[in-house]
C-alpha cells in the first residue's frame, strides 16, 4: 500500500500502482469524469500513470491551468494525427500548448495547408476524437527512439533526440499516431468535444531565419461546445480590439521592413500617448521621491559580465559590436547602468532609500516567431526604476511600490489583477539562480509578508524567479477578459555585491543595499497595446491623441470653428477642425470611427450665440454649451485623468 496525501491534508492508503484516475473514482465517479491530469509531488502526470510511492496528489480538471495545458497539449497530438492521416509523409517539429490553445509546427514537403483546408482538418480531428483512443505512455531507449524516427525519415524529431539521454525518453501514442513527448496527456481523445483550428502561419525551424520555414497550424479545443461558442464570440470581439488593427486605423504606430521586425515606429498620435504616460509617471515618481537619470544605449561587455546578465541572457541580447578590441552590447536592461550611478558617489545611510528612475530604451533580440505587434518587440521603452534601501526600509519601500501599482490600476480602470510571486527552485541554485539559499528564503519571506499584510491578491509560482532574487509579475485582465503581463517588481540581493555597492551605516561600517527593481507601467509598447484592446481604441480624454474635433456645418462657419479650436488649444486641449467639404453627417461618422472623445458641431446659431453643440463618443448628443463652459468641463476631466 502507498500513502496518498490529498489537498485537504487527509492521508489515504491505496494499492501500489494505483493511478490518479483510480483515486478519483474512489472519491466520486462524477469527479473522475472531469479529471484531465494530476499533480503528483509537484509534477504534472498523466491521470492514468501508476503511482508506486507515497505522494501528495492534486487532481487537475479544466478549472486548473495545468489541466487546460494538458488538454491542449493532447489536442496538438490529435491535430498531428489528423494531419498525418491526410498528408502522409509529413514531418513534425514541436506542438506545445499556448495561452489559448495549441499549435503544431510541421514540414509538409510538397504539400500545403491553407486556411481553406482547416475545416477538413477539423472534421478529421472530430472523427478521431470520437474514437475515444487512449493516450498511452511508453518509456523507450534512445537507440530505439532514433531507429524509429530514422525509419520514419523525420530529421526534426532526431534533432530533438540529440539532447536527450537514455532514461528520459518517452513516446506517447493515440490511435494510429506516435510522437516523441514527455507528456503529460489526458486519459483519452473522447474528452475533446469541441474543436476549432484558428489559423495557419509560417514559422522558422527553431525560430531562426537561417532555417527552413515550417507550417504552423493553430487551434483551440474545449470539453463542451458551449465553451467553444463563447470563446469564438470573445475572439470576434478581440479581433475588433486587436491592437495591431486599431494601431493602423488610429495612426498610433507602424512597422516597416526596412527598419526591421519588432522595431515599431511611433506616429504623432502614438507619441502623444507616450508623452502622456511619461508625464503621469514623472509626476507620480517625483511625488514619491524618485530622482530621474539618463543612461546610454550601449555598454561594454565587462559590465554585463559583472552584473551576471550576459551568461544568463546572451541569447536574447543583440550580437556585440567590437571597437578597439572591446565588445559593446546594446542595452537590454537598465539596471547595471543604474548601479553604476549609485556607485559614482560615496553613499551613507542618510542617502537611503535612493530611488533612481528612467524611461530607458532597451533592445532585446526576440526570436522572429515570438514577435507580435507591440506585445513582443525588439526595442522597448521601459518605465524603470531601482530603489536602493536597507533591510529595515524594505517593507515600506516594497509597500509603496505596491500602492503605486494600485494607483495606476485605478486611473486606467483596471479592475481585475493578481500579483504572481515567482520563487526560485533550491535544486537549481548555482545554475539558474544565484547560490545564496539563506538570502533566497529571507527575501521571499519579506515579499510574501508585504502581499499578505496588505491583502493584495497573489499566487506563488516555483522556478520562475529572476536569477538574482524573487519577483512579482503583475497580471492584469482587459475588458474582454484577456490576460496580460503588465510589469515586474523584483527584489535583488545579488547585484549590490557584484557591483560592490556600499553605504556607510549609522555606526560607520560598510553595508550593501538591497535593490528593488520596479516598472509599474511596464513598457510603452506592451502597455499601449493593452490599452488599445482594453479601451477598444476609445481612449479617455486625457490620453486621446485628438481630444476634440470641431465640425463646421459648412464653409460659412469655418472661421468660427477655427476660433473655437484656437481657444481650446490655448487651454492645452488637443483640438482639430474638420475643414473638408463634406456633409455634417459624414463628418460625424468619420470622427466616430477615429474615436475622438468630443465633437463640437457649429453652425449659424452656434456662431451667433458663441456656443457649440456637443457630442460625446459613445454617448451621443449632450446639448449646446458655451465655449467657456465646455472648456471648463473638459479641462477638469483631463486634469483628473478620469477613466472615461
Amino acid at each position: 500500500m502507498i500513502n496518498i496525501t490529498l489537498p485537504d491534508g487527509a492521508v489515504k492508503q491505496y494499492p501500489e500502482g494505483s493511478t490518479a484516475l483510480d483515486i478519483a473514482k474512489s472519491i466520486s465517479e462524477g469527479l473522475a469524469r472531469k479529471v484531465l491530469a494530476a499533480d503528483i509531488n509537484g509534477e504534472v502526470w498523466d491521470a492514468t500513470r501508476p503511482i508506486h510511492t507515497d505522494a501528495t496528489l492534486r487532481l487537475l480538471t479544466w478549472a486548473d491551468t495545468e489541466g487546460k495545458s494538458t488538454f491542449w497539449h493532447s489536442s496538438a497530438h490529435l491535430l498531428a494525427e489528423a494531419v498525418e492521416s491526410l498528408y502522409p509523409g509529413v514531418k513534425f517539429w514541436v506542438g506545445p500548448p499556448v495561452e489559448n490553445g495549441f499549435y503544431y509546427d510541421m514540414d509538409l514537403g510538397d504539400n500545403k495547408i491553407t486556411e481553406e483546408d482547416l475545416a477538413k482538418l477539423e472534421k478529421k480531428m472530430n472523427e478521431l476524437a470520437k474514437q475515444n483512443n487512449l493516450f498511452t505512455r511508453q518509456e523507450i531507449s534512445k537507440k530505439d527512439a532514433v531507429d524509429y524516427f530514422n525509419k520514419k525519415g523525420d530529421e526534426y524529431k532526431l534533432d530533438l533526440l540529440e539532447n536527450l539521454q537514455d532514461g528520459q525518453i518517452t513516446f506517447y501514442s493515440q490511435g494510429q499516431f506516435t510522437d516523441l513527448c514527455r507528456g503529460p496527456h489526458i486519459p483519452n481523445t473522447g474528452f475533446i468535444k469541441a474543436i476549432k483550428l484558428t489559423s495557419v502561419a509560417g514559422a522558422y525551424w527553431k525560430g531562426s531565419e537561417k532555417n527552413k520555414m515550417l507550417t504552423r497550424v493553430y487551434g483551440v479545443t474545449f470539453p463542451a461546445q458551449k465553451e467553444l461558442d463563447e470563446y469564438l464570440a470573445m475572439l470576434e470581439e478581440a479581433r475588433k480590439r486587436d491592437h495591431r488593427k486599431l494601431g493602423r486605423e488610429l495612426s498610433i504606430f507602424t512597422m516597416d521592413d526596412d527598419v526591421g521586425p519588432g522595431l515599431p515606429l511611433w506616429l504623432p498620435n502614438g507619441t502623444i500617448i507616450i508623452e502622456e504616460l511619461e508625464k503621469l509617471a514623472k509626476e507620480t515618481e517625483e511625488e514619491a521621491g524618485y530622482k530621474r537619470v539618463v543612461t546610454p544605449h550601449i555598454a561594454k561587455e565587462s559590465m554585463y559580465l559583472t552584473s551576471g546578465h550576459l551568461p544568463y541572457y546572451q541569447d536574447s541580447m543583440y550580437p556585440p559590436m567590437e571597437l578597439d578590441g572591446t565588445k559593446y552590447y546594446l542595452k537590454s536592461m537598465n539596471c547595471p547602468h543604474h548601479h553604476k550611478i549609485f556607485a559614482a558617489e560615496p553613499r551613507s545611510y542618510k542617502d537611503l532609500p535612493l530611488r533612481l528612475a528612467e524611461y530607458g530604451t532597451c533592445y532585446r533580440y526576440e526570436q522572429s516567431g515570438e514577435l507580435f505587434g507591440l506585445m513582443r518587440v525588439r526595442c522597448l521603452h521601459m518605465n524603470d526604476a531601482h530603489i536602493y534601501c536597507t533591510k529595515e526600509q524594505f517593507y515600506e519601500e516594497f509597500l509603496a511600490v505596491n500602492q503605486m501599482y494600485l494607483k495606476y490600476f485605478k486611473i486606467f480602470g483596471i479592475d481585475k489583477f493578481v500579483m504572481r510571486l515567482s520563487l526560485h527552485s533550491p535544486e537549481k541554485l548555482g545554475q539558474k539562480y544565484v547560490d545564496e539559499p539563506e538570502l533566497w528564503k529571507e527575501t521571499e519571506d519579506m515579499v510574501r509578508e508585504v502581499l499578505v499584510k496588505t491583502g493584495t491578491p497573489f499566487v506563488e509560482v516555483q522556478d520562475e524567479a529572476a536569477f538574482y532574487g524573487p519577483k512579482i509579475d503583475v497580471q492584469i485582465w482587459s475588458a474582454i477578459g484577456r490576460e496580460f503581463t503588465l510589469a515586474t517588481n523584483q527584489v535583488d540581493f545579488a547585484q549590490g555585491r557584484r557591483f560592490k555597492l556600499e553605504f556607510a551605516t549609522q555606526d560607520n561600517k560598510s553595508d550593501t543595499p538591497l535593490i528593488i527593481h520596479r516598472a509599474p507601467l511596464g513598457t510603452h509598447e506592451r502597455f499601449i497595446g493593452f490599452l488599445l484592446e482594453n479601451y477598444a481604441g476609445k481612449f479617455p480624454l486625457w490620453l486621446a491623441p485628438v481630444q476634440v474635433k470641431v465640425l463646421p456645418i459648412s464653409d460659412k462657419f469655418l472661421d468660427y470653428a477655427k476660433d473655437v479650436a484656437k481657444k481650446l488649444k490655448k487651454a492645452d486641449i488637443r483640438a482639430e477642425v474638420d475643414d473638408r467639404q463634406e456633409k455634417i453627417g459624414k463628418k460625424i461618422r468619420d470622427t466616430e470611427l477615429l474615436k475622438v472623445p468630443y465633437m463640437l458641431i457649429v453652425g449659424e446659431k452656434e456662431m451667433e450665440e458663441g456656443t457649440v453643440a456637443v457630442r460625446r463618443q459613445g454617448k451621443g448628443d449632450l446639448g449646446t454649451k458655451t465655449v467657456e463652459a465646455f472648456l471648463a468641463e473638459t479641462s477638469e476631466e483631463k486634469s483628473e485623468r478620469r477613466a472615461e
Side-chain angles (χ1 to χ4, degrees), residues 599-619:
M599 284 176 267
L600 304 182
I601 300 164
V602 296
E604 187 169 358
K605 180 183 177 185
E606 289 77 21
M607 186 173 68
E608 289 175 353
E609 297 177 354
T611 59
V612 289
V614 183
R615 287 182 64 89
R616 184 69 159 96
Q617 170 73 232
K619 293 183 179 178

Short mmCIF file of all heavy atoms in Angstrom, two decimals, residues 599-619:
data_model
loop_
_atom_site.label_atom_id
_atom_site.label_comp_id
_atom_site.label_asym_id
_atom_site.label_seq_id
_atom_site.Cartn_x
_atom_site.Cartn_y
_atom_site.Cartn_z
N MET A 599 -16.97 65.85 -30.07
CA MET A 599 -17.21 66.58 -31.31
C MET A 599 -17.98 67.84 -30.98
O MET A 599 -18.94 67.79 -30.19
CB MET A 599 -18.05 65.73 -32.28
CG MET A 599 -17.31 64.63 -32.96
SD MET A 599 -18.45 63.65 -33.96
CE MET A 599 -18.88 62.36 -32.81
N LEU A 600 -17.55 68.94 -31.54
CA LEU A 600 -18.26 70.21 -31.38
C LEU A 600 -18.78 70.62 -32.75
O LEU A 600 -18.00 70.89 -33.67
CB LEU A 600 -17.32 71.28 -30.82
CG LEU A 600 -16.63 70.95 -29.48
CD1 LEU A 600 -15.78 72.13 -29.03
CD2 LEU A 600 -17.65 70.58 -28.42
N ILE A 601 -20.09 70.62 -32.89
CA ILE A 601 -20.71 70.97 -34.17
C ILE A 601 -21.12 72.43 -34.12
O ILE A 601 -21.77 72.87 -33.17
CB ILE A 601 -21.92 70.05 -34.44
CG1 ILE A 601 -21.45 68.59 -34.47
CG2 ILE A 601 -22.60 70.42 -35.75
CD1 ILE A 601 -22.54 67.57 -34.35
N VAL A 602 -20.71 73.18 -35.14
CA VAL A 602 -21.00 74.61 -35.15
C VAL A 602 -21.67 75.01 -36.47
O VAL A 602 -21.26 74.58 -37.54
CB VAL A 602 -19.73 75.46 -34.92
CG1 VAL A 602 -19.16 75.19 -33.54
CG2 VAL A 602 -18.67 75.17 -35.97
N GLY A 603 -22.73 75.80 -36.32
CA GLY A 603 -23.47 76.34 -37.47
C GLY A 603 -23.82 77.78 -37.18
O GLY A 603 -23.20 78.44 -36.32
N GLU A 604 -24.85 78.27 -37.84
CA GLU A 604 -25.20 79.69 -37.72
C GLU A 604 -25.63 80.05 -36.30
O GLU A 604 -25.16 81.06 -35.74
CB GLU A 604 -26.35 80.02 -38.69
CG GLU A 604 -26.67 81.50 -38.74
CD GLU A 604 -27.61 81.84 -39.88
OE1 GLU A 604 -27.98 80.94 -40.65
OE2 GLU A 604 -27.96 83.02 -40.01
N LYS A 605 -26.48 79.22 -35.70
CA LYS A 605 -26.98 79.51 -34.35
C LYS A 605 -25.82 79.55 -33.34
O LYS A 605 -25.71 80.46 -32.51
CB LYS A 605 -28.00 78.45 -33.92
CG LYS A 605 -28.56 78.69 -32.53
CD LYS A 605 -29.52 77.56 -32.14
CE LYS A 605 -30.04 77.75 -30.72
NZ LYS A 605 -30.88 76.63 -30.27
N GLU A 606 -24.92 78.55 -33.43
CA GLU A 606 -23.79 78.47 -32.51
C GLU A 606 -22.85 79.67 -32.69
O GLU A 606 -22.36 80.25 -31.71
CB GLU A 606 -23.01 77.16 -32.71
CG GLU A 606 -23.71 75.89 -32.24
CD GLU A 606 -24.81 75.43 -33.20
OE1 GLU A 606 -24.77 75.83 -34.39
OE2 GLU A 606 -25.71 74.71 -32.75
N MET A 607 -22.63 80.06 -33.94
CA MET A 607 -21.75 81.19 -34.21
C MET A 607 -22.32 82.48 -33.64
O MET A 607 -21.59 83.29 -33.03
CB MET A 607 -21.54 81.35 -35.73
CG MET A 607 -20.51 82.42 -36.11
SD MET A 607 -20.13 82.44 -37.87
CE MET A 607 -21.70 83.01 -38.56
N GLU A 608 -23.65 82.68 -33.79
CA GLU A 608 -24.29 83.90 -33.29
C GLU A 608 -24.29 83.95 -31.76
O GLU A 608 -24.15 85.01 -31.16
CB GLU A 608 -25.73 83.99 -33.81
CG GLU A 608 -25.80 84.28 -35.31
CD GLU A 608 -27.23 84.25 -35.82
OE1 GLU A 608 -28.14 83.88 -35.03
OE2 GLU A 608 -27.45 84.58 -37.00
N GLU A 609 -24.44 82.77 -31.12
CA GLU A 609 -24.58 82.74 -29.66
C GLU A 609 -23.26 82.44 -28.94
O GLU A 609 -23.22 82.44 -27.71
CB GLU A 609 -25.62 81.69 -29.27
CG GLU A 609 -27.02 82.02 -29.81
CD GLU A 609 -28.03 80.93 -29.47
OE1 GLU A 609 -27.61 79.88 -28.92
OE2 GLU A 609 -29.22 81.13 -29.75
N GLY A 610 -22.20 82.18 -29.70
CA GLY A 610 -20.92 81.84 -29.06
C GLY A 610 -20.96 80.51 -28.34
O GLY A 610 -20.33 80.33 -27.30
N THR A 611 -21.67 79.54 -28.93
CA THR A 611 -21.84 78.22 -28.31
C THR A 611 -21.33 77.12 -29.24
O THR A 611 -20.91 77.37 -30.37
CB THR A 611 -23.32 77.96 -27.98
OG1 THR A 611 -24.08 78.02 -29.20
CG2 THR A 611 -23.86 78.98 -26.99
N VAL A 612 -21.43 75.90 -28.75
CA VAL A 612 -21.11 74.71 -29.55
C VAL A 612 -22.11 73.61 -29.20
O VAL A 612 -22.56 73.51 -28.06
CB VAL A 612 -19.67 74.20 -29.27
CG1 VAL A 612 -18.63 75.16 -29.84
CG2 VAL A 612 -19.43 74.00 -27.77
N ALA A 613 -22.46 72.81 -30.20
CA ALA A 613 -23.31 71.64 -29.96
C ALA A 613 -22.39 70.46 -29.68
O ALA A 613 -21.57 70.09 -30.53
CB ALA A 613 -24.19 71.36 -31.17
N VAL A 614 -22.49 69.86 -28.49
CA VAL A 614 -21.51 68.87 -28.03
C VAL A 614 -22.02 67.45 -28.25
O VAL A 614 -23.16 67.12 -27.90
CB VAL A 614 -21.21 69.08 -26.52
CG1 VAL A 614 -20.14 68.10 -26.06
CG2 VAL A 614 -20.80 70.52 -26.25
N ARG A 615 -21.16 66.62 -28.83
CA ARG A 615 -21.41 65.17 -28.93
C ARG A 615 -20.26 64.44 -28.26
O ARG A 615 -19.10 64.79 -28.44
CB ARG A 615 -21.53 64.71 -30.39
CG ARG A 615 -22.80 65.14 -31.09
CD ARG A 615 -22.84 64.60 -32.52
NE ARG A 615 -22.89 63.14 -32.55
CZ ARG A 615 -24.01 62.42 -32.53
NH1 ARG A 615 -25.19 63.04 -32.48
NH2 ARG A 615 -23.97 61.10 -32.57
N ARG A 616 -20.58 63.40 -27.47
CA ARG A 616 -19.56 62.61 -26.75
C ARG A 616 -19.48 61.23 -27.37
O ARG A 616 -20.52 60.60 -27.66
CB ARG A 616 -19.94 62.48 -25.26
CG ARG A 616 -18.89 61.75 -24.41
CD ARG A 616 -17.65 62.61 -24.28
NE ARG A 616 -16.82 62.26 -23.13
CZ ARG A 616 -15.76 61.46 -23.15
NH1 ARG A 616 -15.40 60.87 -24.28
NH2 ARG A 616 -15.05 61.25 -22.06
N GLN A 617 -18.27 60.77 -27.63
CA GLN A 617 -18.05 59.44 -28.19
C GLN A 617 -18.79 58.39 -27.35
O GLN A 617 -18.62 58.31 -26.14
CB GLN A 617 -16.55 59.14 -28.19
CG GLN A 617 -16.17 57.72 -28.50
CD GLN A 617 -16.34 57.36 -29.97
OE1 GLN A 617 -16.97 56.35 -30.28
NE2 GLN A 617 -15.80 58.17 -30.86
N GLY A 618 -19.67 57.64 -28.00
CA GLY A 618 -20.40 56.57 -27.34
C GLY A 618 -21.62 57.02 -26.57
O GLY A 618 -22.41 56.19 -26.12
N LYS A 619 -21.83 58.34 -26.39
CA LYS A 619 -22.98 58.83 -25.62
C LYS A 619 -23.92 59.71 -26.44
O LYS A 619 -25.04 60.00 -26.02
CB LYS A 619 -22.50 59.62 -24.40
CG LYS A 619 -21.78 58.75 -23.37
CD LYS A 619 -21.39 59.55 -22.14
CE LYS A 619 -20.70 58.66 -21.12
NZ LYS A 619 -20.26 59.41 -19.92
#
